[in-house]
Amino acid sequence: MTADAARLYRHALEVLRENDQGTYTVPTKGLYPFQWNWDSCLTALGQVHYDEARAWTEIETLFAHQWPDGMLPHIVFHVHSDGYFPGPSVWDTGRPIATSGITQPPVAGFAVRRLFERSADREAAVRRARALLARIDAWHRWFYQMRDPHNEGLVAILHPWESGRDNSIDWDEAFERVPTEGIAPYSRRDTQHADPAHRPTKAQYDRYLWLVQHFRSLGWDNRRLHDASPFQVVDPGFNAILIRSATDLAALAEELGEAEIARANRARAAAGIAALETLWSDRHGQYLCRDRTTGELIDSASIGGILPVFAAIPQERCREVARTIERWAHKVAFVVPSHDPLDPRFEAKRYWRAPVWLVMNYMIADGLRAAAETAVADAIVQSSLDLITRSGFAEYYDPLTGEPCGGGRFTWTAAMVIEFLEAA
Ligand code: DGY
């Protein structure tokens, strides 16, 4: 490792350690003071390089708060903090330890298989992976039961926060149908910690909250939420993560002798890969979201439609997506922007409407490498490390200037840096 790389590595460790709360890690102090679902799973991939036991604990803590129906909530409110909105009283999910009532991209199956492969203590890895297998499988089953009621092979998100890409341009049109009447007065906290110009708008927050209130009025009963939601979107990126996790869980289950879990997850992944094809757009050279309430594809070329390379999509699709990334790369200084830079709706600094996120880069590069698109994968990793060197461990980055945006000293950004440096 060069001296520069060693310095970055040390800095990444510092960020991870300062956000570590003992049994879980906060995404960053101030802006996000609790445990977030997919942040934690990806954080564990950084932790495993310096403390294997701690990495397993990160994911176990999250699963200790799984709902009885199988859902893994997107936030666990372990402690009291006034610094975040909406807090536990707004969600009011009635869980013994407060959680939110929606979920997040199901990256756990992928993360646990990777932890298992990286763990030197084999006895502990087998024991801890075995204990998580059934829980992750229950979460996957929950998705297909609750979010794919017509057996399409693809699941819907019911709230933009579930996608993790909160204010993506993908949701704009569908969000117009979400009303705002009757929302309780509220005061945002995120804009006290981060530049409001980097965050979602008030109009978007009103709708986020309307959906929360609506689901709360239905008692968070997942058997009712799908059909009752005016927002139902099939996101190719979200589904690709689920498919990849199902594939990885199947492989892990096979290795641990859990044949039924392996079979069920292999079947889910195969159905998902076949169904993803219905989201393909020749015009954009990538996948698009489908609005399930209208049945129409959404004309918005975002990173959600690039992310399917993370799953085992056909080789020619992967090739076409790699060419799309190369086209985008000519328009920006840093890849991968979270939206097509030629789209007039592209907003370079605003959260998921253009900025670069290292977790996305990590998953996309991983998929491209597996498909032998090595040059594009290498360029994405290099761009990621250039961003860190230039702008530190930010939440996300302006793809035109590399400027750091959102929160600072971000845990999963640091975890991804460790992964990139370890693989170099
Ligand atoms: C937020 O509050 O910005 C989160 O993304 C919602 O989970």
Side-chain angles (χ1 to χ4, degrees):
M1 203 178 278
T2 64
D4 281 350
R7 192 181 44 77
L8 282 188
Y9 200 108
R10 274 198 307 278
H11 194 168
L13 285 177
E14 250 172 62
V15 172
L16 279 164
R17 290 202 165 111
E18 81 189 26
N19 290 329
D20 190 344
Q21 308 299 299
T23 55
Y24 69 94
T25 312
V26 298
T28 187
K29 291 201 169 132
L31 185 59
Y32 297 119
F34 311 109
Q35 183 175 26
W36 262 258
N37 179 328
W38 71 324
D39 290 72
S40 264
C41 293
L42 294 168
T43 294
L45 298 182
Q47 291 170 327
V48 73
H49 293 290
Y50 62 91
D51 188 343
E52 264 172 50
R54 178 65 191 81
W56 285 99
T57 301
E58 185 76 23
I59 298 183
E60 289 161 356
T61 304
L62 186 64
F63 274 92
H65 302 277
Q66 187 169 26
W67 284 23
D69 69 359
M71 187 186 78
L72 195 64
H74 99 295
I75 307 174
V76 183
F77 298 103
H78 291 284
V79 290
H80 172 79
S81 169
D82 284 333
Y84 179 81
F85 176 85
S89 62
V90 179
W91 292 96
D92 194 19
T93 53
R95 301 291 307 143
I97 302 243
T99 73
S100 69
I102 56 173
T103 194
Q104 241 181 356
V107 81
F110 158 73
V112 166
R113 184 181 181 200
R114 200 146 272 194
L115 276 196
F116 184 78
E117 286 165 349
R118 302 255 157 95
S119 293
D121 181 345
R122 299 312 300 160
E123 184 273 325
V126 167
R127 179 172 42 79
R128 298 179 92 160
R130 196 186 293 287
L132 283 166
L133 268 186
R135 287 177 169 270
I136 302 173
D137 179 51
W139 189 23
H140 290 181
R141 191 178 327 116
W142 175 88
F143 271 114
Y144 293 98
Q145 279 172 350
M146 305 299 184
R147 300 303 182 80
D148 181 20
H150 305 297
N151 293 320
E152 292 170 19
L154 297 173
V155 303
I157 54 160
L158 306 183
H159 194 300
W161 285 342
E162 291 198 311
S163 71
R165 300 187 292 112
D166 302 7
N167 67 339
S168 168
I169 293 164
D170 291 349
W171 327 130
D172 287 2
E173 219 176 285
F175 228 24
E176 285 301 309
R177 283 192 296 278
V178 174
T180 54
E181 289 76 38
I183 48 168
Y186 66 94
S187 133
R188 285 173 68 170
R189 300 282 194 278
D190 59 315
T191 44
Q192 293 163 0
H193 300 289
D195 184 339
H198 300 177
R199 293 286 304 171
T201 62
K202 158 128 179 42
Q204 284 160 340
Y205 255 80
D206 287 353
R207 291 182 165 87
Y208 296 151
L209 290 167
W210 188 91
L211 286 171
V212 169
Q213 282 188 202
H214 181 54
F215 298 153
R216 191 181 66 203
S217 75
L218 298 169
W220 296 108
D221 179 351
N222 275 301
R223 289 162 307 184
R224 298 166 71 197
L225 301 194
H226 180 278
D227 289 356
S229 178
F231 182 89
Q232 303 167 358
V233 177
V234 176
D235 168 12
F238 190 98
N239 277 278
I241 289 174
L242 180 54
I243 292 166
R244 171 67 183 265
S245 276
T247 305
D248 284 346
L249 198 69
L252 190 56
E254 199 148 85
E255 193 160 344
L256 296 176
E258 297 285 349
E260 181 44 34
I261 293 181
R263 189 207 55 75
N265 282 280
R266 224 178 288 111
R268 289 168 188 146
I273 291 285
L276 267 182
E277 192 56 22
T278 65
L279 305 181
W280 178 257
S281 162
D282 274 332
R283 187 161 76 82
H284 290 290
Q286 65 165 96
Y287 299 84
L288 298 177
C289 290
R290 183 183 301 285
D291 185 334
R292 195 176 263 170
T293 68
T294 62
E296 301 295 325
L297 287 181
I298 299 172
D299 189 19
S300 169
S302 80
I303 201 163
I306 299 292
L307 197 52
V309 298
F310 188 50
I313 54 170
Q315 183 77 28
E316 75 271 16
R317 291 292 183 233
C318 207
R319 231 185 348 258
E320 289 169 274
V321 173
R323 301 296 78 79
T324 299
I325 297 172
E326 285 174 340
R327 272 199 311 281
W328 287 13
H330 286 122
K331 305 285 168 207
V332 293
F334 299 93
V335 286
V336 180
S338 45
H339 201 82
D340 177 355
L342 288 177
D343 188 325
R345 298 168 291 183
F346 180 94
E347 285 181 76
K349 294 187 196 334
R350 207 184 276 282
Y351 211 26
W352 287 96
R353 297 176 80 84
V356 176
W357 291 73
L358 255 63
V359 286
M360 287 287 152
N361 281 5
Y362 174 75
M363 290 186 278
I364 292 168
D366 181 273
L368 289 174
R369 211 176 285 295
E373 286 287 347
T374 315
V376 187
D378 287 348
I380 292 172
V381 173
Q382 190 54 53
S383 205
S384 306
L385 295 174
D386 290 349
L387 279 169
I388 303 296
T389 307
R390 182 197 176 287
S391 296
F393 292 77
E395 187 178 7
Y396 44 94
Y397 305 86
D398 179 330
L400 304 178
T401 63
E403 185 185 325
C405 300
R409 302 189 70 75
F410 229 79
T411 300
W412 71 0
T413 305
M416 297 300 94
V417 170
I418 290 181
E419 272 286 80
F420 288 140
L421 293 174
E422 285 281 351

